[in-house]
């Protein structure tokens, strides 16, 4: 770009319309190098000094949601941007800058309690990082830092993801399964070029970055005239170009499609640019999409990277672009940047440029005529330590008051993957449809650009019933869909299953699951980016993951199968557990594994990567699996699945019974953190684990009836009656269920998750009438107490529900987790409130979490597991907040009750089938 005296700028824009972004020191941003272009000055936009008082970022009140757009100076609302979703001005700055939870955030009291665990952790961390050269799946020393920049991820389910931030930067990469790179790649940008009467009058990188590389490019977009709007799996960025009478709307589309097991697995994203000319002059518009081959890190250092142009014509549609070949082992891939060729557009490219240079050649190439030179042939493979990038440009004419559309796709083909142990070769799900040879990037690009309009129609049809429901608040509509980002971006893998990899016991004992696994493959995702073991079963089953039937993940039985298989196996290799220091086996028989393994090892083959506790003694894992099995049956109506799972459920419940020491029908906790709250000690009968136990026993009664096992049905009926009496006698205090039965002060704490058992039962059509387990008046009173104390008496009622609250209204600080807010637990609590008719309280509770995370803390698309009232958050991008879909299920069940009362079989006291059966459930859960 040429640099001239700012006082004599030949932009083709009247001086009165040349405005500056600088609020206090208006200056023109001028790149270092000049290009000798006469009479053309392309600068970032400038705006007059804004003397308006800036309001502080709103905390959690409904009227404060507009604060994210308070900085927006433009008037353009973009092309077909929906009214609902998460919207933020690109100039917005979050005032609150929290830190990730680290060891120095532990209170002295709790630090003394855990000093042994801390020393053992340091030994383990050193061995993992310095000796084994691996990434620790819990890294308390190098936590993922706060970056308030993320937007909707690109990419379907299980093929890897790329996140484009709300300010326009490509900034989070999860191409190797389960392994994240939080890196902004400067060369990955969209650039606009406007020409009038053969002269370039405006050329701007559509990014707020001001980097030290590519300095010949015009950086520093004026964020006050642009905003971002997300409604996953789509997002919109609207750019009003001041002084140009032009508005750009970039629409980002990912194929997340309910009940579609093909397109939803594709590693693709589409960018559709709708350009509106609001002036009276014709102009030529070009959008350039530049992309670096690789991320500029260690994976690129060996060299050998190369680019080549491609053109694919099929079915009367033509796609042109670049292939960026990244052959680095162990998981080579090819990226494709492509554009659709139409009668009204011209597609050009530059095959290779140095992304670490000034970028002068590329910038001048585009500046000269709004197109790129399009050299033929492939580039020379890079030398060691040298980077390479390429760019694709689409150009079109734009009539006065006219509009045009420019279409890009981004696809990546990494068909064959090795996990960290490099032991077994796996193939991703999408290879079933596009092949395993690593040459599918052109076909993926062509398919995406030809199918995205259909995808959008299906996305709209799926979301419209919720978005059009005027009884639902706007924040909830945003949360419901945007939290689904984790289905694709949660380190998700979706793999084909080879016939020879199916274990013998599957064919012998679970024969009905074989066709399911062949059809749907293996599926898993991480607990969170701060906790890297894949497929955390105690978390998956800790809430009724009924959202899964709304989304295109593999059918639910195929998700349960790995846990069931691992239950029957054992791994007697002994290791030292960090919390207790005790040596114990990795995996014992007839207990549910904590997880299906570490992506830096060999998941599915070696389970239980978690080593803080010996989870064979956890009180909730087995129970949640049993509840999950019944949930899957309830949703699918699959009798064969139930028959396959029944022996496993019997085995784990028999294993669980040893925790009922006094044979009163109620299990006891062991005096340490022996459940999902793995930092919160529980002793004796407890509200949380005891409630899950009774719910699981009630489900066993139902499953025994369905399987015709009368003796077992009678056995569990007897346990249930005795356990109910003990639970009420030992824990109910007239207002809520006590945390546990110990003599410690925290025994009488109000736990926000105390009704988890009832939540699960109600979500599966049980828990009332003849299947009532917990007295309804007690459940309602407990929920009211939780709302009064854990919600309204905590942080002014504006941050959701704290995990533990003392009865006199002070947060329970007896552990590192009791005074945290767990976002997914709060959404589950809200669902429980709705189930019991406390709908207003449920929405008030959940709203506090959404506004805290998405509007106050800037944690969009990285919802953490937990945050405290002040200072810290813990474990970014966590899976549990997907439980917001339990709220939607609860609302639909409430509506179903109004429409028709369920039929209960009389005389036996037991139902022989789901009260709210599978077909009805699916009809009500899925808008399709």
């Amino acid at each position: 770009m040429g640099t001239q005296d700012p006082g004599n700028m030949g932009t083709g824009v009247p001086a009165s319309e040349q405005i500056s972004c600088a609020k206090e020191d208006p200056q023109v941003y001028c790149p270092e190098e000049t290009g000798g272009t006469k009479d053309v000055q392309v600068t970032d936009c400038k705006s007059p000094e804004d003397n308006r008082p800036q309001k502080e970022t709103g905390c959690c009140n409904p009227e404060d949601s507009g604060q994210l757009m308070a900085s927006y100076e433009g008037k353009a609302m973009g092309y077909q941007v929906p009214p609902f979703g998460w919207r933020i001005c690109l100039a917005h700055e979050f005032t609150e800058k929290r830190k990730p939870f680290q060891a120095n955030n532990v209170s002295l009291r709790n630090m003394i309690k855990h000093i042994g665990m801390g020393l053992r952790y340091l030994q383990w961390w050193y061995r993992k990082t310095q000796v084994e050269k691996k990434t620790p799946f819990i890294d308390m020393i190098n936590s993922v830092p706060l970056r308030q920049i993320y937007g909707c991820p690109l990419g379907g389910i299980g093929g890897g993801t790329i996140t484009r931030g709300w300010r326009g930067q490509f900034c989070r990469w999860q191409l190797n399964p389960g392994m994240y790179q939080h890196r902004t790649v400067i060369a990955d940008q969209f650039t606009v070029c406007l020409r009038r009467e053969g002269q370039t009058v405006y050329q701007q990188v559509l990014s707020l970055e001001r980097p030290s590389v590519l300095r010949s490019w015009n950086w520093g977009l004026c964020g006050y005239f642009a905003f971002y709007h997300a409604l996953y799996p789509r997002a919109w960025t609207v750019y009003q170009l001041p002084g140009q009478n032009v508005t750009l709307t970039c629409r980002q589309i990912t194929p997340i499609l309910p009940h579609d097991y093909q397109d939803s697995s594709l590693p693709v994203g589409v960018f559709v640019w709708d350009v509106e000319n609001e002036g009276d002059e014709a102009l030529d518009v070009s959008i350039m999409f530049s992309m670096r081959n690789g991320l500029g890190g260690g994976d690129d250092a060996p060299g050998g990277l190369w680019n080549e142009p491609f053109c694919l014509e099929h079915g009367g549609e033509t796609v042109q672009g670049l292939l960026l070949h990244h052959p680095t082992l162990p998981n080579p891939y090819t990226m494709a940047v492509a554009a659709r060729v139409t009668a009204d557009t011209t597609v050009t490219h530059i095959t290779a440029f140095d992304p670490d240079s000034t970028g002068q050649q590329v910038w001048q190439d585009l500046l000269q005529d709004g197109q790129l030179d399009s050299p033929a042939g492939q580039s020379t493979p890079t030398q060691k330590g040298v980077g390479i990038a390429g760019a694709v440009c689409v150009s079109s004419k734009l009539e006065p008051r006219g509009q045009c559309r420019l279409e890009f796709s981004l696809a990546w083909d990494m068909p064959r993957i090795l996990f960290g142990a490099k032991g077994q070769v796996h193939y991703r799900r999408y290879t079933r449809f596009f092949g395993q040879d690593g040459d599918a990037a052109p076909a993926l690009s062509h398919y995406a650009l030809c199918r995205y309009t259909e995808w959008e129609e299906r996305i709209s049809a799926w979301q419209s019933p919720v978005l059009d429901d005027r009884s639902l608040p706007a924040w909830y509509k945003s949360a419901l869909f945007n939290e689904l980002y984790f289905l694709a971006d949660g380190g998700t893998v979706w793999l084909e299953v080879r016939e020879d990899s199916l274990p013998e016991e599957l064919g012998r004992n679970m024969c009905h699951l074989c066709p399911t696994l062949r059809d749907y493959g293996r599926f898993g995702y991480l607990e969170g980016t701060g906790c890297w073991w894949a497929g955390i079963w105690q978390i998956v089953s800790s809430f009724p993951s009924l959202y899964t039937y709304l989304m295109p993940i593999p059918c639910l039985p195929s998700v349960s199968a790995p846990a069931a298989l691992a239950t029957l196996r054992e791994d007697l290799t002994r290791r030292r557990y960090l919390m207790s220091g005790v040596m114990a086996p990795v995996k014992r028989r007839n207990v549910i594994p904590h997880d299906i393994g570490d992506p830096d090892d060999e998941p599915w083959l070696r389970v239980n990567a978690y080593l803080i506790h010996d989870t064979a003694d956890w009180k909730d894992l087995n129970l949640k699996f049993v509840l999950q099995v019944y949930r899957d049956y309830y949703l699918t109506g699959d009798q064969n699945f139930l028959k396959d799972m029944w022996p496993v459920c019997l085995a784990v419940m028999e294993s669980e019974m040893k925790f009922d020491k006094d044979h009163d029908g109620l299990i006891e906790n062991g005096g340490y953190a022996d459940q999902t709250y793995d930092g919160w000690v529980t002793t004796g009968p407890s509200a949380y684990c005891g409630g899950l136990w009774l719910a699981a026993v009630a489900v066993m009664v139902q499953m025994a009836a369905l399987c015709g096992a009368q003796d077992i049905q009678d056995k569990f009926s007897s346990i249930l009656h005795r356990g109910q009496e003990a639970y009420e006698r030992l824990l109910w205090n007239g207002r809520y269920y006590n945390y546990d039965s110990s003599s410690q002060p925290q025994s009488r704490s109000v736990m926000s998750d105390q009704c988890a058992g009832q939540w699960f039962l109600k979500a599966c059509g049980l828990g009332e009438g003849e299947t009532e387990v917990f007295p309804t008046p007690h459940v309602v009173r407990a929920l009211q107490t939780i709302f009064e104390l854990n919600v309204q008496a905590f942080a002014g009622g504006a941050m959701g529900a704290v995990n533990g609250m003392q009865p006199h209204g002070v947060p329970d600080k007896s552990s590192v987790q009791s005074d945290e807010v767990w976002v997914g637990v709060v959404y589950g609590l809200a669902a429980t409130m709705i189930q019991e008719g406390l709908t207003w309280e449920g929405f008030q509770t959940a709203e506090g979490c959404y506004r805290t995370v998405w509007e106050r803390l800037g944690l969009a698309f990285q919802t953490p597991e937990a945050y405290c009232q002040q200072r810290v958050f813990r474990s970014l991008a966590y899976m549990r907040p997907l439980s917001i879909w339990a709220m939607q299920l609860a609302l639909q069940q409430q509506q179903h009750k109004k429409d028709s009362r369920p039929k209960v079989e009389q005389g036996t006291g037991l139902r022989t089938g789901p009260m709210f059966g599978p077909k009805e459930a699916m009809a009500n859960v899925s808008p399709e």
Side-chain angles (χ1 to χ4, degrees), residues 623-634:
L623 307 176
K624 291 170 182 176
F625 175 78
V626 172
L627 291 167
Q628 178 173 289
V629 166
Y630 185 78
R631 175 207 65 192
D632 292 357
Y633 162 72
Y634 170 77

Side-chain angles (χ1 to χ4, degrees), residues 67-93:
Q67 287 298 311
L68 299 183
M69 285 290 287
S71 299
Y72 185 57
E73 298 291 343
K75 296 180 180 180
M77 289 292 103
Y79 180 75
Q80 295 184 349
V81 181
F84 299 109
W86 182 71
R87 184 173 294 188
I88 184 168
C89 175
L90 268 60
H92 182 77
E93 292 287 344

Side-chain angles (χ1 to χ4, degrees), residues 123 153 372 575 720 898:
Q123 291 174 340
L372 300 176
R575 65 181 178 186
L720 180 60
K898 292 179 182 178

Side-chain angles (χ1 to χ4, degrees), residues 751-811:
M751 186 186 195
S752 64
D753 210 8
Q754 63 184 267
C755 295
Q758 174 72 355
W759 171 28
F760 216 106
L761 288 174
K762 275 289 190 75
C764 293
L766 304 174
E768 59 185 343
E770 294 190 17
T771 62
E772 182 180 86
V773 174
F774 309 96
T776 298
H778 289 187
V779 172
V780 173
R781 185 69 185 99
L783 292 171
Q784 290 171 335
T785 301
I786 293 167
F787 184 71
E788 293 165 8
L789 291 176
N790 300 58
V791 179
Q792 289 189 312
F794 175 73
M799 293 183 74
V802 67
N803 281 340
M805 179 70 85
Q806 296 179 23
H808 56 282
V810 176

Side-chain angles (χ1 to χ4, degrees), residues 672-708:
Y672 70 100
D674 54 354
Q675 25 75 35
T676 292
Y677 297 87
D678 55 359
W680 196 356
V681 171
T682 316
T683 304
S686 67
Y688 176 67
C689 290
L692 288 174
W693 162 258
L694 293 179
V697 171
V699 160
M700 289 297 290
V701 173
Q702 296 293 314
M703 289 195 289
L706 291 165
C707 293

Side-chain angles (χ1 to χ4, degrees), residues 320-357:
Q320 289 180 220
L322 287 179
L323 300 178
L324 315 180
H325 298 286
H326 196 280
T328 306
L329 298 176
N331 297 322
Y333 64 93
T334 295
M335 193 86 69
V337 180
R340 188 178 190 175
V341 180
T342 70
D344 300 320
T345 61
T346 300
V347 178
T348 56
H349 71 269
I350 182 167
T351 308
F353 68 90
D354 183 355
D356 301 313
S357 69

Side-chain angles (χ1 to χ4, degrees), residues 461-480:
W462 158 49
Q463 293 182 338
S464 290
V466 172
L467 301 180
D468 295 343
D469 188 339
R470 301 182 67 180
S471 70
L472 299 175
W475 70 262
Y476 172 76
K477 296 173 183 180
S478 172
L480 190 69

